[in-house]
Amino acid sequence: MATTYSDQAALQNDPKMGNRAASIQTSGALLVADVVYTLTGSEAADDLLNLVKLPAGARVITPLSSVEAENPGTALVIDIGDDDATADEDRYSDGLTLSSGGRVEFSAGGTVAAAELAGHTLTQASWIQAKVKTATSLTASQVLRFTIVYAATA
């Protein structure tokens, strides 16, 4: 039977002190941004919604983040990304369908986002953003509640 190591285990197993995992990956504090956006009903494709500004060094934990909606309208599809130094409009979720409401995890987007697999640590204070991809007959006053879980070094 072979014993293999994940990237973190390999760093932790290495006796050299200079070869350690970044503390944010193994011992950072988890924080939650509870963000509410109320639809105006006039949102359209390519609109950008600034949700919350996170500090430099923060890392969104995509599998733990989600959005809840009652019934936003006929069709609502968004991407979740950021405006970091290397901005990426769908870094955390690509093609997240909210049309029928309910609770939808960022990881439920149509395509697995790169940050979900590799993680991304913000290099500067950055807006976490929702970009509207599809918006059809949206209902004004409907609430979208975003739960954004992120790690930050203590």
Side-chain angles (χ1 to χ4, degrees):
M1 178 173 76
T3 300
T4 58
Y5 295 90
S6 70
D7 59 346
Q8 294 302 313
L11 291 172
Q12 291 171 322
N13 195 45
D14 190 323
K16 292 182 234 129
M17 286 304 289
N19 192 23
R20 293 283 181 235
S23 63
I24 195 169
Q25 295 175 321
T26 57
S27 62
L30 285 184
L31 303 168
V32 177
D34 182 23
V35 179
V36 171
Y37 177 80
T38 303
L39 292 173
T40 64
S42 62
E43 289 83 2
D46 294 326
D47 282 358
L48 199 58
L49 316 175
N50 282 339
L51 302 175
V52 64
K53 191 170 232 177
L54 297 183
R59 184 170 50 92
V60 173
I61 309 299
T62 306
L64 299 179
S65 299
S66 63
V67 60
E68 294 175 280
E70 183 181 350
N71 183 3
T74 303
L76 178 59
V77 179
I78 61 173
D79 289 345
I80 307 290
D82 61 49
D83 70 347
D84 197 16
T86 55
D88 187 338
E89 70 183 31
D90 60 6
R91 189 184 315 275
Y92 310 109
S93 189
D94 184 7
L96 194 62
T97 302
L98 305 174
S99 305
S100 58
R103 181 177 185 270
V104 183
E105 295 177 354
F106 284 11
S107 58
T111 305
V112 175
E116 188 173 347
L117 298 174
H120 174 74
T121 301
L122 297 173
T123 59
Q124 63 187 24
S126 303
W127 286 104
I128 303 303
Q129 303 170 313
K131 183 167 186 176
V132 178
K133 301 306 285 183
T134 303
T136 306
S137 302
L138 297 182
T139 305
S141 300
Q142 286 292 305
V143 170
L144 305 179
R145 173 173 238 116
F146 295 83
T147 301
I148 301 168
V149 179
Y150 63 99
T153 53

